[in-house]
Amino acid sequence: MELVIYKTYDEISRWTAEHIANRINDFNPSKSRPFVLGLPTGSSPEGTYRELVNLHREGKVSFEHVVTFNMDEYVGLPEDHPQSYHSFMKTHFFDHVNVKKGNIHIPNGNAPGLEKECQDYEEKIRNYGGIQLFLGGMGADGHIAFNVPGSSLSSRTRVINLNFETILANSRFFGNNVKKVPKQAITVGVQTVFDAREVVVIVNGYKKARALKKVVEEGISHMWTLSALQMHPHGIIVCDEESTMELKVGTVKYFTNNR
Ligand code: GLP
């Protein structure tokens, strides 16, 4: 696992967008051999989406042959609800780039059979030959996607009951009313994310510092699900200085000097 540390959020957003664009361009995708990209929602990747849109407008990256799989979606929230992850993706990314509608995959939290929806989602990923690069964020309790503390590290796409910390954190998008936050979501599993050839996770702000320490400096634990990234051959956490405040000086120096 590698840490890429920059001072500001804008710098990590730019680095991450350029990294993704380079990966897509190096892959040289075509209709029959698309680049398969895993995508997150949340405030952490907003800057990266903004920068990817800019790179696209400058003609530096095309999404014509990119297939996307989102990490998660709330259960029971209408697709066109402003806080659904379908809406988030349209607003921040899909409406501004040339990704084809038929290449976009987001779990359907209103599917009549949720379990089948989860199995089908895994199968669709498999049918594309797996994910090249999974981009992610991290919850303040160290979770990846909606794999809240206690999730099995070998989990796959499934319906998850959200924990109180996540409901509380996400209530900021629902008028600070915890009662309005859906209590369940469909999420890809920890294993689904880490099956990708490369995993890049954006972490920013002091509110993530405690979790970043757990994930980077302590052992692998199902209580801090992103910690499993330690086992991934190509795992990168891109973080701003604030989020590194609880790390040891030696850890920060090691990764800073390595670059
Ligand atoms: C939710 C999402 C995660 C995201 C996390 C952190 O739990 N399902 O994918 O990483 O929130 O969100 P933020 O980036 O807004 O801090």
Side-chain angles (χ1 to χ4, degrees):
M1 180 165 74
E2 190 191 346
L3 287 198
V4 172
I5 305 168
Y6 283 102
K7 208 171 170 59
T8 66
Y9 176 69
D10 283 348
E11 285 170 294
I12 61 172
S13 301
R14 255 193 310 277
W15 185 92
T16 309
E18 276 167 17
H19 183 80
I20 295 168
N22 288 341
R23 285 289 191 260
I24 294 171
N25 291 335
D26 290 348
F27 190 85
N28 196 16
S30 61
K31 192 163 187 274
S32 58
R33 191 174 162 272
F35 187 91
V36 186
L37 179 63
L39 294 174
T41 53
S43 47
S44 310
E46 277 182 21
T48 299
Y49 287 134
R50 188 189 60 226
E51 293 296 332
L52 275 173
V53 169
N54 287 340
L55 288 173
H56 171 66
R57 286 189 179 140
E58 290 162 14
K60 293 184 176 149
V61 66
S62 167
F63 296 91
E64 194 188 351
H65 300 306
V66 173
V67 168
T68 66
F69 281 93
N70 264 81
M71 292 188 141
D72 42 20
E73 177 57 286
Y74 291 114
V75 166
L77 201 64
E79 240 176 67
D80 60 358
H81 187 285
Q83 294 309 330
S84 79
Y85 289 171
H86 279 76
S87 297
F88 177 99
M89 289 308 297
K90 275 167 74 67
T91 309
H92 292 279
F93 191 50
F94 293 146
D95 279 355
H96 313 288
V97 294
N98 63 338
V99 64
K100 289 182 181 149
K101 220 169 167 225
N103 283 347
I104 294 172
H105 303 87
I106 306 178
N108 177 5
N110 295 293
L114 291 175
E115 206 172 305
K116 182 165 188 313
E117 170 69 14
C118 297
Q119 283 163 10
D120 289 352
Y121 206 67
E122 286 280 334
E123 197 180 320
K124 278 182 210 156
I125 295 174
R126 263 197 312 275
N127 289 344
Y128 274 107
I131 290 174
Q132 290 296 327
L133 188 160
F134 221 130
L135 181 67
M138 176 184 76
D141 56 9
H143 73 246
I144 175 98
F146 265 135
N147 293 290
V148 298
S151 296
S152 163
L153 299 182
S154 59
S155 53
R156 295 209 161 270
T157 305
R158 68 208 184 286
V159 174
I160 188 106
N161 294 325
L162 300 180
N163 63 336
F164 184 67
E165 190 166 346
T166 302
I167 291 172
L168 194 62
N170 289 4
S171 66
R172 70 191 194 277
F173 300 116
F174 293 85
N176 288 315
N177 184 348
V178 286
K179 290 200 181 116
K180 288 196 176 151
V181 184
K183 303 292 174 285
Q184 287 190 318
I186 290 182
T187 181
V188 293
V190 179
Q191 191 64 55
T192 318
V193 178
F194 296 148
D195 274 353
R197 319 265 187 309
E198 183 178 17
V199 180
V200 178
V201 179
I202 304 160
V203 175
N204 65 286
Y206 185 71
K207 62 182 185 302
K208 303 286 174 72
R210 171 188 70 142
L212 190 64
K213 179 181 178 57
K214 291 277 178 188
V215 162
V216 174
E217 292 181 343
E218 296 191 13
I220 293 168
S221 165
H222 62 304
M223 298 310 285
W224 305 86
T225 52
L226 181 61
S227 62
L229 190 64
Q230 293 174 28
M231 297 291 283
H232 198 284
H234 302 289
I236 303 178
I237 298 182
V238 197
C239 42
D240 71 352
E241 220 171 69
E242 270 186 34
S243 68
T244 66
M245 297 289 265
E246 299 291 331
L247 294 180
K248 291 179 188 156
V249 173
T251 307
V252 174
K253 278 202 166 146
Y254 174 78
F255 286 107
T256 311
N257 293 343
N258 260 358
R259 294 186 55 75

